[in-house]
Amino acid sequence: MTFVPVIPEAYSHVLAEFESLDPLLTALRLDSSRLRCTSIAVSRKWLALGSTGGGLNLIQKDGWKQRLFLSHREGAISQIACCSHDDDYVAVATSQGLVVVWELNQERRGKPERIHVSSEHKGRKVTALCWDTAVLRVFVGDHVGKVSAIKLNTLKQAKAAAAFVMFPVQTVLTVDSCVVQLDYLDGRLLVSSLTRSFLCDTEREKFWKIGNKERHGEYGACFFPGRCAGGQQPVIYCARPGSRMWEVNFDGEVLSTHQFKKLLSMPPLPVITARSEPQYDHTVGSSQSLAFPKLLHLSEHCVLTWTEKGIYIFIPQNVQVLLWSEVKDIQDVAVYKNELFCLHFNGKISHLSLLSVERCVERLLRRGLWDLAARTCCLFQNSIITSRARKTLTADKLEHLKSQLDLTACSELISQLDDLILRFEPLESACSSRRSSISSHESFSILDSGIYRIISSRRGSQSDEDSCSLHSQTFSEDERLKEFASHQEEEQPEQGCGANRNEESASHSPVMSEVDKSEAFLPFSIALPFRSPSPLVSLQAVKDSVSSFVRKTTEKIGTLHGSPELKEPFESKDADRAHEEEVSAVTCPLEEDTEEKEIHQPPKEDRLQELTAATAEAMTKLLDPLVLFEPKVLRMVLLEWLSQLEKTFAMKDFPGISNTSSPTVKSNLGAHLLGETEKRVLDEESGEGRRVSLVTEEAGGQITCDPVSNLSEPSADRFRVCSPYAITNSLQRDLAELTTLCLELNVLTSAMESVGGHVDRASQQLSPEILACRFLKKYFFLLDLKRAKESIKLTYDSPCVWDTFVEGLKEMARSNPAYTELEEGDLPTGLQLLDGSVPSDSPLLIAFATRLYDRFGESALRACIKFYPSISPSDIAQLCRHHPAQFLAYLDSLVKSRPEDQWPSFLEFLLQPESLRLEWLLLAVSHDAPPSTSTVDDEGHPRPHSHLLSWGYSQLILLLIKLPADFTTKEKMTDICRSYGFWPGYLTLCLELERRREAFTNIVYLNDISLMEGDNGWIPETLEEWKLLLHLLQTKSTRPAPQESLNGSLSDGPAPINVENVALLLAKAMGPDRAWSLLQECGLALELSEKFTRTCDILRIAERRQRALIQGMLEKCDRFLWSQQA
Amino acid sequence: MKRAGTLRLLSDLSNFTGAARLRELLAGDPAVLVRCSPDGRHLLLLRPPGSPAPQLLVAVRGPGLPLERAWPEGDPSPLDVFFVPWLARPALILVWESGLAEVWGVGMEPGWKLLQSTELCPDGGARVMAVAATRGRLVWCEERQPGVKDQPEQLSTAFSHRVCFKTLETSGEAGTKLGCTHILLHHCPLFGLIASRKDLFLVPTTNTWSGVAHLLLIWSPSKGKVIVAAPSLGLSHSKSLNPKQGDTWDFRTLLRGLPGFLSPREPLAVHTWAPSSQGLLLLDLKGKVSLVQCHGGTRTVGILQEAPVSLKGSAALGTFHGTLACVLGSTLELLDMSSGRLLEKKVLSTDRVHLLEPPAPGMKNEEELETRGALRLLSALGLFCVCWETPQGLELPSDKDLVFEEACGYYQRRSLRGTQLTPEELRHNSMFRAPQALASILQGHLPPSTLLTTLRAELRDYRSIEQLKAQLVAGDDEEAGWTELAEHEVARLLRTQLTGDQLAQFNTIFQALPTAAWGATLQALQLQPDRSGRLRSQAPPDVWKKVLRAPTAGKEHPNGILPPFELLCQCLGQLEPQWLPPFVKLAQQQGGPGWGAEGPSLPLYRRALAVLGEEGKRPEALELELLLGSGRPKAVLQAVRQLIKKEEWERALEAGLALDASSPLLRSEIFKLLLAEFAQHRRLDAHLPLLCRLCPPEVAPHELLLLLRTHLPDDEGTTPFPEPGAEPPLTVGLVRALLEQTGAQGRPSGPVQSTYEDILWDPGTPPPTPPRGPTASLPASDHPGQEAWVPPGQGLGAADVGVHL
């Protein structure tokens, strides 16, 4: 036995192959030369293998047992892509260029179906396939550079899709050469061609080239998702020649270039595999200049790539090579979490895992590969002796390993192991103290990242099962369970409580997945303190105590929720009627409480009778137009009626509301927090969660809120969303109208009330906004919600009224099961849900939209265009008033949802009142705009070529600008465009307002002759204007050298405006001779080059030819006209 | 484009029937109501009640009878009169306050006829307050008298109005018929009614209840919608008419159902309402003009420089060509509708000006094309129109100018008049219609299709040239386009007389685009090389005649304009000099004998040589080729002399041998020259056999010896043998061969087939080395092929030459 070399550096990770997939390939009959594997893909559930025969094998990764076979007669499978967010979809490209999308119907246990076949790329070679990360959309790229998108309407989404009539296949873009790689993240598509990478915003259909420098050949690029916890933006890595990588931000700007050439000069790390002894050669290695044909995001922090020589894994953010290993002849690699499936050119597949060294050793131990484990330990002893690894790989374990080795065959190894054990570092003090502090806490275990996991029996060395410094989820959940089981088997002799443990791990698996999620969000260098502020962590802590509570309360709810109406969704076709019925019929969970209190009130029939009478009287009065159309009188009538209303629905029902003057006594903070957490837990636990928390609050009497002080936090306050009494439909209708009128006309407190002194003086002096909020809460169940929404926007300027109103709507919407379901699932699911369960004109839509917006932000707003006009732009403006840019995104989508020829008229229709024109314009030019330093120079003049900068909303801006408006508005628009440097708009306006001099001055500054060319060019129209332009050029040429252009050099930009170019235009417009004399007059004739003279010569010839043609045509015309006369 | 609005007099009203009455009415009462029929021919004037007779006048332009009506004092006079706007054949509707409505029309017979008379409010007790007609409907607003039975509750008179309409059926000969009555709106306040083409606007009047005077209603019968709008708030809501309720709305219910209209607002301060194609225009008391669009939205159009003085002053608003026109008293302001910019303000000479509504679209209008859609103003002085004209002098040359300039020449040639035509004259003179038509075609107006077909090819060419110009200016180096241009133009010019301007253009093309021009010439002359390296042409002689025409004696071409032949030679000399001699030779053959008769002119080779430059500065080889190829004895001798000077014996000999038997004199001249050389030195000895062949048969041996003797160098030395290094003297052995030749009188037998035959078929002698000329610096090639002669950068490969030549 030879001495095992030691790898000098402390490599933390290694690639290991624990199993061979050859038997699988044999079982699939993919091992012959005729039929072999051509493509590979992997998802959470499946390993997908395409074959030369057109077959697609889907094998369940868990145990390699279940498998599906999908056959294609359209040629060999050239590309496969599994949908990452829904395991039920797979897209496949065949050698004939067809793209087939399959729905596997696994959930429904149905047969797989072809749901789409695209022949968009027929006859071409599909070189890349990629799924959208949120919706069912596949991007396809081929060898000529065309990229298309297939939007799928599946059975699952049929309803949602019916509203969007769109072509299923769209060409997204066409790039200059073969598509090398596609990647998609958050609405952006990354396309890498043979020459460069492109970034494409698929929603706004904007494109960016990444970087200036081209490269030639197969270079990949991939997204690198940002980490939520760090608030980090996703970035992009693009391969560059010579082992370089560009780091590019999400907007396509190159941030930096990483050079890995030197770093790659280290010798390759061995792949740990049972098939051969790991070899390490110190001597091998020289700096490598490589081209990375594809980049894959791997295991949270890493980027993987390969060449014909090996596999390379980088931590690009630290400009670090994690490792590289020699794995030859790789055709393609599919990656899921830390697992790699490599397809070799000979059709073989190797399954590698990226593991920390100690985890690798541990797994080898568990498999009883003692020899290999020992070799790995020795090879990586520099990594093993660190304290980090020590936690996993304790001295006991190594001792055990040593004992398993054959004394005679492996004496060398054993001695090396002995050395290693001697060199073990003591465990870090901080770590051990942390441990001891927990040891008292029976039900927690600590993970490496500092997250605590509940287990009731602590099991020392096995507890950090999942720890991995890359804090990636190393195993899928299923695999972890599998490992548990196998581990148990392996260690049965020494484990007394194996069965117990197994059971426990099974029962806790969902909780653990929670932990893993939260773990995945945390940046790995930060260790959390023991008591984490994260609600999800404390959630774990309280889980046990809560679960018993939940059980109890759910029982209680069960009895409360006897009435079936409660769950009745808003399904009625006639929305108005449905609304009425709903308001009058819904039984509120509060009802029982209120009825208890009614003992102290006069019988409700009496009160209602009085109210009915007062309402009838008011309604009669309203019939008189002299009352209705005389606001003062109308207010009087309403005021009078309101007093009766106040009396009927006296505030005593709401101790929280009437008790306005008492200052809020915050209950014990801890308890409060606990309450909060509880609520969240419950929200997540069940759809009834919110209701439960209401009940518990009520019962505990914990939360007493002052509406005034709590306006900022209206959720703490409560709304009356359903009537305390049964009210007849007709009365309900009248009440709704009158209440809404009160709100609209700002009649918020009754005369009675203020006279009677029920309310203290402070409330009289309250601003109408606060009164309105209070009014809304009190009478929410009476309001005509649609109209109230309009009134609020018209009458009240304050956002708090709106917020209060929306809160009320939310409260009301909670009774709809769809509302709670919205909490889960992605945006399309949410929209689909809305489609199915909420009528398109329901006033509650706003509540749903707000919910979606809170969860998905801008993309939810964009989706809201579907609900236009039920949800209008002014609603959206209110909704996202803290993020005006998002309103723009909505507006942009809304306008563009119409056919293009209707954009102006539709936008004009939306622009009511007129003042919005300027507001929206201001918004549009100030968002997603280039910085003013790049549009305006130090003297306030336009920078050259700055009109070519891309503006996020340039189309919208131009639409706004081109709409007819009055002179002052147009002038203001001009000023706005100028001050923000939106030159295309500025020039358009200048010319519209006949400020031609100004326009030409700025065109000269912009220095792009194409502004003056073509059919839409701005060309001088009179001799005077030509003279002006020439004069401007003269003065320009006397100025110091032109300012540098935006991207550094002027040479690659558009043709500049200089005397020569303008002279040519002049020559075309006026004829060469007249142009020449004008140029002489301006003293510019000398500056012209030979090219000008030559061009003039040719122009002259052209003119003569035109004249000759005119002669010919004249003759024909003349003849024709004579013949007509004859 | 700086445009100026101009007022043009369309008619001084004299072509209207009843012109005098018309003028009188227009000049008299400022409050007179003026309306224009859809066809634009009829004018309707109604004087307010209490005016002297007649109160109603309908005047017609052109044929037709006027209608005059008067109502005696005390009798009610009509509330309103209007033409039915959608009818081509004019029909009038008169409506009285009492509800009486009369429909008048023009039938087949001349004159107006009462077609129908009906009561709008048959139950009485109602007064018609406003009336209007939209497509297919007559709409009115009536005030119900209080106490009428169908009113359950006592309503204030302010809301006792209702808006009703009757369908207006127009059918055949019977003309117009009013159908049954529908009620649109109950319990509404007093509304004024204004009809646009599609919609009806219900607007508040000064008498409208102030609580609702801030809003107006838009009824779109076609969409079945009522829109309530409050322009001052930017607020509008639309309600669909419910067919179940018989299209009737209660005004109170309508408003109560819509948010935002019941809160206190200021009434609209409107001075004048006016319908327009985009919606309803309203002028407020501050001079602001707003537009209420059909969808209910309101926007400001612009602000007038002069605000209306008071409610009483008259104002009229109208739109045309995206322009808003507003007549306030005697000022006319024109504003751009899209930017609100004041385009022009004009002070009119009278304040009694009426804006006429534009004729309905699709109506046959007899007026000129230009005034279509223009704004028409009517005053006692006449009927005017406002249109935009481009002021003279500011305009830049355009296609139009080219047309008229060319037309001048065109018509001048056909004109018998001595006076010079000017473009201006043509532009404004309607005598020649072709230029007008062509100018409008070039500006994008569509001509009759037959004309378009005949012009299609030319138009396409014209446009493509225009495109080419744009490309050229944009710096596009698309040579192909220009080549095509040059080719077309050369081909065209070669079809003309090729004099004067044409020749100048010919020159320009050759200077600017020599390759393309030469290529086109090649095609025109149908030049083709044959195997022997000569050129052939199948072009008709008259083309050659044009090309070869000598410059007119005494008339020097100015500015270096060359005659065609010189131009071609020059071009060829620059591009492919090796083809110049064959070309000149071909030209000489084409020239023919008859042409010399035109006058003594230089031979072509001289002309070609002249092009190549001054004597002594020409490329020698080329000059030699030309001289040798000329076939003129003098020239050939000159060439041979030059060859001898250059000691190119073989070529000199061959030049002599090439001459056929037809010019024995020249041959012997050459022989003599060479013999002289032979006598003097020994460098010709190697070529003795050729010299022998050249020897004229008639020369006797003694003559030969005599000749030799004259040229023998003087015997300087007396030594029998030459000094070492010196040239050996002429020996008898050498002379013998010559003497034998002469003595035998023998010449190589067999007929001489062609001039160059012996050269071509003698495999031992290589073809004459082409002159090296300017490319002499090139390494001498073993195969002096043509490619060595293609000037670099001209883009003509050897293959090209082969094809073209």
Side-chain angles (χ1 to χ4, degrees), chain A residues 372-387:
Chain A
L372 187 60
R375 280 175 189 284
T376 313
C377 280
C378 295
L379 215 84
F380 288 93
Q381 50 182 267
N382 286 325
S383 320
I384 300 282
I385 57 172
T386 60
S387 62

Side-chain angles (χ1 to χ4, degrees), chain A residues 623 744 787 914 1021 1094, chain B residues 1 252 256 260 300 405 512:
Chain A
L623 278 179
E744 188 176 323
R787 181 160 180 172
E914 229 180 335
E1021 283 174 345
R1094 178 172 158 76
Chain B
M1 185 80 65
R252 298 164 299 173
R256 259 166 62 177
T300 311
E405 281 168 29

Side-chain angles (χ1 to χ4, degrees), chain A residues 854-1083:
Chain A
D854 291 344
R855 287 197 61 207
F856 301 105
E858 192 180 304
S859 46
L861 289 189
R862 287 176 186 275
C864 279
I865 60 169
K866 174 173 158 53
F867 302 111
Y868 179 84
S870 285
I871 297 182
S872 65
S874 56
D875 297 337
I876 298 291
Q878 291 283 358
L879 198 62
C880 61
R881 61 170 181 275
H882 300 300
H883 304 282
Q886 297 180 338
F887 173 70
L888 273 178
Y890 165 81
L891 185 65
D892 199 48
S893 312
L894 180 63
V895 171
K896 287 176 184 165
S897 65
R898 302 285 163 120
E900 192 167 345
D901 57 329
Q902 291 175 20
W903 288 356
S905 57
F906 182 54
L907 183 61
E908 185 166 23
F909 174 70
L910 295 177
L911 279 169
Q912 288 293 329
E914 229 180 335
S915 58
L916 286 178
R917 278 160 207 258
L918 289 175
E919 273 176 42
W920 288 2
L921 179 66
L922 208 55
L923 206 57
V925 290
S926 52
H927 284 96
D928 208 351
S932 67
T933 47
S934 58
T935 56
V936 180
D937 66 12
D938 303 336
E939 291 160 50
H941 298 306
R943 279 193 193 275
H945 305 171
S946 56
H947 61 294
L948 298 172
L949 293 171
S950 81
W951 292 68
Y953 297 100
S954 59
Q955 240 173 345
L956 189 67
I957 303 175
L958 285 172
L959 278 178
L960 280 166
I961 280 171
K962 284 177 184 164
L963 286 181
D966 62 313
F967 194 58
T968 5
T969 311
K970 287 269 178 180
E971 277 190 317
K972 280 180 191 157
M973 285 177 164
T974 319
D975 292 344
I976 289 172
C977 284
R978 184 173 51 200
S979 57
Y980 283 87
F982 185 69
W983 305 119
Y986 174 66
L987 291 178
T988 312
L989 284 165
C990 274
L991 293 169
E992 190 174 10
L993 300 182
E994 283 289 331
R995 285 151 72 164
R996 297 183 65 89
R997 194 186 170 88
E998 208 174 317
F1000 284 117
T1001 313
N1002 285 294
I1003 287 177
V1004 169
Y1005 277 112
L1006 289 171
N1007 201 19
D1008 176 4
I1009 195 79
S1010 65
L1011 283 172
M1012 304 175 71
E1013 284 170 348
D1015 294 336
N1016 300 320
W1018 288 300
I1019 195 94
E1021 283 174 345
T1022 63
L1023 216 56
E1024 288 312 305
E1025 284 181 6
W1026 278 111
K1027 280 186 190 165
L1028 164 74
L1029 187 62
L1030 290 171
H1031 178 70
L1032 284 169
L1033 284 169
Q1034 260 173 327
T1035 49
K1036 180 191 165 196
S1037 60
T1038 58
R1039 270 201 309 268
Q1043 307 91 321
E1044 78 291 352
S1045 148
L1046 296 164
N1047 291 330
S1049 64
L1050 274 164
S1051 58
D1052 59 349
I1057 296 185
N1058 53 27
V1059 174
E1060 172 108 0
N1061 285 341
V1062 170
L1064 285 173
L1065 283 179
L1066 179 66
K1068 176 173 181 275
M1070 313 177 66
D1073 300 325
R1074 271 184 269 206
W1076 181 251
S1077 63
L1078 184 63
L1079 287 167
Q1080 275 180 324
E1081 194 181 319
C1082 297

Side-chain angles (χ1 to χ4, degrees), chain A residues 750-927:
Chain A
S750 67
M752 281 289 290
E753 204 175 352
S754 46
V755 171
H758 284 274
V759 178
D760 58 318
R761 234 172 240 165
S763 76
Q764 283 184 48
Q765 290 159 3
L766 291 174
S767 67
E769 279 76 31
I770 290 167
L771 286 174
C773 292
R774 203 184 287 179
F775 184 88
L776 276 172
K777 286 174 185 167
K778 263 196 283 186
Y779 300 112
F780 204 80
F781 66 103
L782 288 177
L783 288 172
D784 171 347
L785 295 173
K786 265 197 251 176
R787 181 160 180 172
K789 186 181 87 180
E790 296 306 314
S791 310
I792 287 168
K793 285 188 285 186
L794 282 172
T795 318
Y796 304 98
D797 214 12
S798 155
C800 76
V801 184
W802 173 265
D803 286 343
T804 311
F805 177 70
V806 172
E807 279 309 315
L809 288 178
K810 282 184 180 172
E811 201 74 39
M812 203 164 230
R814 284 203 171 91
S815 60
N816 190 325
Y819 188 80
T820 37
E821 279 176 51
L822 276 190
E823 296 293 332
E824 291 139 26
D826 51 4
L827 185 56
T829 327
L831 291 173
Q832 190 187 340
L833 202 66
L834 279 192
D835 253 3
S837 53
V838 185
S840 67
D841 59 347
S842 160
L844 295 181
L845 262 182
I846 289 284
F848 288 94
T850 315
R851 191 74 211 95
L852 285 176
Y853 172 64
D854 291 344
R855 287 197 61 207
F856 301 105
E858 192 180 304
S859 46
L861 289 189
R862 287 176 186 275
C864 279
I865 60 169
K866 174 173 158 53
F867 302 111
Y868 179 84
S870 285
I871 297 182
S872 65
S874 56
D875 297 337
I876 298 291
Q878 291 283 358
L879 198 62
C880 61
R881 61 170 181 275
H882 300 300
H883 304 282
Q886 297 180 338
F887 173 70
L888 273 178
Y890 165 81
L891 185 65
D892 199 48
S893 312
L894 180 63
V895 171
K896 287 176 184 165
S897 65
R898 302 285 163 120
E900 192 167 345
D901 57 329
Q902 291 175 20
W903 288 356
S905 57
F906 182 54
L907 183 61
E908 185 166 23
F909 174 70
L910 295 177
L911 279 169
Q912 288 293 329
E914 229 180 335
S915 58
L916 286 178
R917 278 160 207 258
L918 289 175
E919 273 176 42
W920 288 2
L921 179 66
L922 208 55
L923 206 57
V925 290
S926 52
H927 284 96

Side-chain angles (χ1 to χ4, degrees), chain A residues 619 622-626 628-631 634-635 737 741 744-745 786-787 790-791 794-795 905 908-909 911-914 917 962-968 970 991-994 996 1013 1020-1026 1061 1064-1071 1074 1091 1094-1121 1124-1125, chain B residues 1-2 153 155-156 158-159 209-212 233-235 237 251-252 255-264 293 295 297-303 336-341 394 396-397 399 402-403 405-407 410-411 413-414 433-435 437-438 441-442 448 450-451 454-455 458-459 461-462 465-466 469-470 472-475 479 482 485 488-489 492 501-502 505 508-509 512-513:
Chain A
M619 289 306 279
L622 249 55
L623 278 179
D624 184 355
L626 295 191
L628 186 66
F629 299 121
E630 194 56 75
L634 182 60
R635 286 177 63 105
E737 182 167 358
L741 265 182
E744 188 176 323
L745 294 180
K786 265 197 251 176
R787 181 160 180 172
E790 296 306 314
S791 310
L794 282 172
T795 318
S905 57
E908 185 166 23
F909 174 70
L911 279 169
Q912 288 293 329
E914 229 180 335
R917 278 160 207 258
K962 284 177 184 164
L963 286 181
D966 62 313
F967 194 58
T968 5
K970 287 269 178 180
L991 293 169
E992 190 174 10
L993 300 182
E994 283 289 331
R996 297 183 65 89
E1013 284 170 348
E1021 283 174 345
T1022 63
L1023 216 56
E1024 288 312 305
E1025 284 181 6
W1026 278 111
N1061 285 341
L1064 285 173
L1065 283 179
L1066 179 66
K1068 176 173 181 275
M1070 313 177 66
R1074 271 184 269 206
K1091 188 190 165 206
R1094 178 172 158 76
T1095 310
C1096 280
D1097 282 345
I1098 301 177
L1099 280 178
R1100 255 181 226 118
I1101 297 172
E1103 194 195 305
R1104 289 298 301 258
R1105 170 129 190 86
Q1106 283 186 315
R1107 282 179 185 270
L1109 286 169
I1110 285 175
Q1111 286 270 358
M1113 289 195 278
L1114 266 178
E1115 217 170 303
K1116 283 188 174 176
C1117 261
D1118 216 21
R1119 224 178 295 143
F1120 173 81
L1121 290 170
Q1124 291 292 99
Q1125 272 185 359
Chain B
M1 185 80 65
K2 296 262 188 284
E153 66 255 74
L155 277 182
S156 147
F159 289 90
W209 179 259
S210 62
V212 287
L233 302 175
L235 183 68
H237 288 288
F251 182 71
R252 298 164 299 173
L255 253 72
R256 259 166 62 177
L258 299 169
F261 292 110
L262 296 182
S263 24
Q293 283 146 313
H295 55 67
T298 308
R299 72 170 184 91
T300 311
V301 174
I303 295 166
D336 184 24
M337 284 285 274
S338 62
S339 69
R341 193 164 51 89
L394 279 173
L396 288 175
D399 298 343
L402 282 189
V403 172
E405 281 168 29
E406 288 304 306
Y410 177 80
Y411 287 109
R413 268 181 267 136
R414 286 159 180 72
R433 283 163 63 209
L438 188 59
I441 290 170
L442 288 183
T450 42
L451 181 57
T454 52
L455 295 181
E458 281 95 340
L459 279 174
D461 284 356
Y462 188 89
I465 294 172
E466 202 57 30
K469 278 157 85 176
L472 183 68
V473 167
E479 195 89 32
W482 315 340
L485 171 73
H488 281 136
E489 191 59 356
R492 178 184 75 83
D501 278 354
Q502 293 146 354
Q505 168 83 340
T508 319
I509 299 170
L513 302 162

